[in-house]
Amino acid sequence: MAISSAKIRNKSITFLFICMFSLLALSACGSETSPQSEYNTGSQENVVSESSEPQSAKAEENKVKPELTMKINGKTVTAEWEDNESVSALKELASESPITIQTSLYGGFELVGSINHSLPKNDERITTQAGDIVLYSGNQLVVFYGSNTWAYTRLGHITDKTPSELTALLGNDNATITISVNY
């Protein structure tokens, strides 16, 4: 069965036309700029209506995310918080109203106090360091000025105090810890 060269040429041209049309259609789908905005006549209405959706998406990205703030006996400390379910729950709880935790010295290396709410926990055996903030038993906040090995859920770490500053701040007496959300 012989196929004429004219039929092959017609099929090739048709195939080429379909490929070019498909590429053109796909490139238009991926473009962020509509053809109308490339040939804008200067009308302010066109600019606003076409850019309103991307601007709202950018506004969502630029929203300030709430951050947790920790105070120990009224002194603000800088903490780097973990990105986990427990911290998210703590942040949600603190967004309703500041959480005040009365802590007690324990073991000569930590302060422990009840959050009065249970938080999700993901305990793992860790060795803590001075400045670590952990969740114990799902409802106890522990702040370390020493070290211990036990099963805890990491919440964060105080980053602006040395171990000796933490001992001076935490190791002499019971303390009041306040956790709030800063917008």
Side-chain angles (χ1 to χ4, degrees), residues 107-123:
F109 50 83
E110 66 187 23
L111 283 175
V112 181
S114 176
I115 300 172
N116 293 323
H117 288 78
S118 289
L119 301 178
K121 61 182 184 171
N122 186 17
D123 290 347

Side-chain angles (χ1 to χ4, degrees), residues 149-164:
T149 301
W150 201 258
Y152 301 110
T153 299
R154 290 185 185 275
L155 297 177
H157 184 82
I158 297 171
T159 58
D160 66 341
K161 304 283 184 235
T162 65
S164 59

